[in-house]
Amino acid sequence: MKVPRFTELIGNTPLIDLTKIVGENSAYLYAKCEFMNPGLSLKDRMANYILDIAEAQGKLKRGDVIVCSSSGNTGCSFAILGKIRGYQVVIVTSEKCSIEKQNHIKALNAELIVVDYDSYMSYGTDYAKKNGYFDVDQYNNIYNPEAYYKTLGPEIWKDTNGEITHFVMTGSTFGCISGTARFLKECNPKIQVILADPVSSNIYNYYYSNIKNDLSFNLVSEQYSIIEGAGKSKPTKCLDFSVIDEVIKISDEEAISTCHQLANDEGLLIGGSSGLNVFAAKFIANRLNKKGVVVTILCDSGIKYISKIYNKEFLRKYSAT
Ligand SMILES: Cc1ncc(COP(=O)(O)O)c(C=O)c1O
């Protein structure tokens, strides 16, 4: 009898049917339950893959220190996987990271450094460089999109019997959308890929302008968003614009009300970026007929945001600002 260890349960997440929430004659809407990974998010896939590659390349040996800048979920994944593979783990996040994700990282005995939102990405890289530690560098690490190219893309293709017509996903490092979309488009170039961008992000503006590939161009973010793990002020190295066909903007109200609707109607407790994804996917599905098969991602668990998205007092104060 082969019984897996906990961390062998990464990937092969279920695809669930959310067609009930779209219009009667609209497309099918399916969602991949990435919150069912051991670290309760999609990021286990890439943390596992990056560690496999770094070990195979001889870049890591037992006792080494891994440093990772993260909006929280990648930190949880490295806290789980790094520790059990024999490394010390330092996670750098910002004060935007929910207290649940911070506590998750600390409970797994990783060191947590919390800095301000504008500097957490560079802080991690500088900290690793200064001390000679291994820097995950998820925003620029090519093995981040490759992890999804090798796992999530093939799973979605198989789960839908190759019938997927549209893939909808938000992005932060853009590893997931870029790697998954590349695989799906290699299977069927007609598949449309839609990036769902929160109001705080500039990617919509980069995409629909002639500065797409000019990273020296600095745009100022329009608005604050409470959605964690979604959006960026400028494109990352992992973002492959060539596999994205459309970018749509989603507001916090749209994302959060979708989270509440899914908790109420489906018993599904998901994070804000998943609400954002589902709202965007529903919008796309409602533009199509029953020939369409729209797939999106439930990126992480709502358990990570009980104090925010599922806290009426927090939301009341936030909407008053
Ligand atoms: C909750 C959540 N949703 C979505 C994403 C976006 O994934 P990616 O970094 O692959 O673009 C992240 C990444 O941090 C995340 O934590």
Side-chain angles (χ1 to χ4, degrees), residues 203-214:
I203 304 304
Y204 177 96
N205 295 335
Y206 274 92
Y207 186 81
Y208 289 110
S209 71
N210 56 6
I211 54 158
K212 220 182 233 174
N213 297 312
D214 183 358

Side-chain angles (χ1 to χ4, degrees), residues 191-204:
I191 291 172
Q192 295 293 292
V193 175
I194 298 101
L195 171 68
D197 208 28
V199 284
S200 56
S201 180
N202 285 329
I203 304 304
Y204 177 96

Side-chain angles (χ1 to χ4, degrees), residues 60-269:
L60 274 174
K61 55 177 188 330
R62 276 187 94 79
D64 281 354
V65 180
I66 296 172
V67 179
C68 177
S69 298
S70 161
S71 61
N73 277 323
T74 307
C76 296
S77 300
F78 274 98
I80 296 172
L81 293 166
K83 275 276 163 179
I84 67 158
R85 288 183 186 217
Y87 308 114
Q88 294 177 60
V89 179
V90 180
I91 306 300
V92 182
T93 192
S94 76
E95 65 253 308
K96 186 175 171 181
C97 177
S98 74
I99 203 70
E100 291 86 343
K101 283 194 281 186
Q102 294 190 31
N103 285 338
H104 190 172
I105 291 165
K106 287 195 275 192
L108 290 159
N109 295 314
E111 188 186 328
L112 182 69
I113 300 174
V114 183
V115 298
D116 63 273
Y117 185 72
D118 291 332
S119 62
Y120 80 95
M121 295 196 295
S122 58
Y123 189 101
T125 300
D126 295 345
Y127 186 78
K129 204 180 276 171
K130 196 171 73 195
N131 294 290
Y133 297 152
F134 178 85
D135 182 15
V136 171
D137 194 17
Q138 59 168 332
Y139 306 92
N140 302 303
N141 191 329
I142 54 154
Y143 299 117
N144 170 4
E146 197 169 290
Y148 300 99
Y149 177 84
K150 294 234 165 126
T151 65
L152 189 59
E155 285 174 33
I156 292 173
W157 183 251
K158 190 164 149 267
D159 292 343
T160 61
N161 293 321
E163 286 172 20
I164 174 174
T165 59
H166 293 72
F167 177 59
V168 181
M169 172 61 188
T170 189
S172 171
T173 67
F174 306 96
C176 179
I177 191 166
S178 300
T180 309
R182 182 158 70 88
F183 180 87
L184 293 173
K185 280 184 180 270
E186 279 173 16
C187 295
N188 175 4
K190 288 195 184 141
I191 291 172
Q192 295 293 292
V193 175
I194 298 101
L195 171 68
D197 208 28
V199 284
S200 56
S201 180
N202 285 329
I203 304 304
Y204 177 96
N205 295 335
Y206 274 92
Y207 186 81
Y208 289 110
S209 71
N210 56 6
I211 54 158
K212 220 182 233 174
N213 297 312
D214 183 358
L215 300 192
S216 63
F217 202 92
N218 283 313
L219 292 170
V220 177
S221 293
E222 293 161 17
Q223 262 173 274
Y224 179 78
S225 165
I226 59 164
I227 310 298
E228 296 181 34
K232 268 286 158 286
S233 55
K234 58 162 62 182
T236 63
K237 271 207 189 136
C238 291
L239 174 53
D240 180 358
F241 274 127
S242 74
V243 292
I244 294 172
D245 301 289
E246 185 176 348
V247 182
I248 54 178
K249 275 259 172 218
I250 307 294
S251 71
D252 277 16
E253 291 74 25
E254 290 165 334
I256 293 165
S257 63
T258 306
C259 289
H260 294 164
Q261 183 196 355
L262 289 173
N264 197 54
D265 299 354
E266 299 284 320
L268 198 52
L269 200 65

